[in-house]
Amino acid sequence: MDREELNLILLSETPFVIRMNDGREYEVRSKEVITVSDIAASVLYRHDDGKLRHVYLPLVTMTAVEPIAA
C-alpha cells in the first residue's frame, strides 16, 4: 500500500477496513479518524473495552483496504 493509493480510497470509499499482515483489522468509519503520512497511517479506533485508542499502521504492513458492506 502506498500513500497515494490510501488517499484515493479516503476520497472515494468510507467506511472501510484496513487489514494488516499479522491478521489485525481496523475499521475506519469516518475520514476524521485517520491521517496518512509518507510511511504510515494513524487511526483512532474503538477498542474492545469501549475506549478510543490510537494506532500507528505502517503502510508496508497493510495487506488490503476494503469497503465495508452497508
Side-chain angles (χ1 to χ4, degrees):
M1 178 71 52
D2 63 17
R3 182 180 70 151
E4 290 79 20
E5 186 178 1
L6 188 54
N7 279 328
L8 283 175
I9 292 168
L10 280 172
L11 291 174
S12 62
E13 300 176 20
T14 54
F16 59 89
V17 62
I18 298 174
R19 299 187 201 290
M20 304 301 290
N21 64 357
D22 63 0
R24 292 178 294 155
E25 297 181 352
Y26 298 93
E27 288 187 7
V28 177
R29 295 274 176 194
S30 168
K31 295 175 186 177
E32 287 81 24
V33 299
I34 185 171
T35 58
V36 181
S37 73
D38 289 340
I39 60 170
S42 179
V43 178
L44 184 64
Y45 74 101
R46 189 155 308 275
H47 194 265
D48 293 337
D49 63 6
K51 295 181 181 178
L52 287 175
R53 306 286 175 145
H54 172 266
V55 65
Y56 176 84
L57 305 172
L59 297 176
V60 297
T61 61
M62 292 181 188
T63 57
V65 177
E66 301 171 350
I68 298 173

